[in-house]
Amino acid sequence: MSSSSYSNNLNAEITVCAPAPETIINLYWAVFALGAGDQMEIFDGTSTTAPSMGVFTGAQLQAVDITSTNAS
């Protein structure tokens, strides 16, 4: 996704897949800000049934590394 604003009532699911099983996915946002009442949940796997890595609001993910440990 781009660094632009998101629309009202947006409910989106984005899957980031590694090019090879031995590849580690690391997410890092230099700037991160969700609107009041909004949240983002990150899962460590291929779907929303995978273990949750956390639910984040506001600027909680700004300058934070999130690294996947799931080989799939």
Side-chain angles (χ1 to χ4, degrees), residues 25-62:
I25 301 265
N26 185 68
L27 301 174
Y28 178 85
W29 288 269
V31 176
F32 186 92
L34 292 174
D38 294 339
Q39 65 181 27
M40 182 169 80
E41 185 167 8
I42 299 175
F43 297 92
D44 192 15
T46 58
S47 73
T48 56
T49 61
S52 176
M53 296 180 78
V55 177
F56 305 93
T57 60
Q60 287 181 315
L61 282 174
Q62 186 159 313

Side-chain angles (χ1 to χ4, degrees), residues 6-31:
Y6 54 93
S7 61
N8 290 335
N9 301 310
L10 178 66
N11 185 4
E13 184 175 320
I14 299 169
T15 304
V16 179
C17 297
E22 65 276 1
T23 305
I24 294 172
I25 301 265
N26 185 68
L27 301 174
Y28 178 85
W29 288 269
V31 176

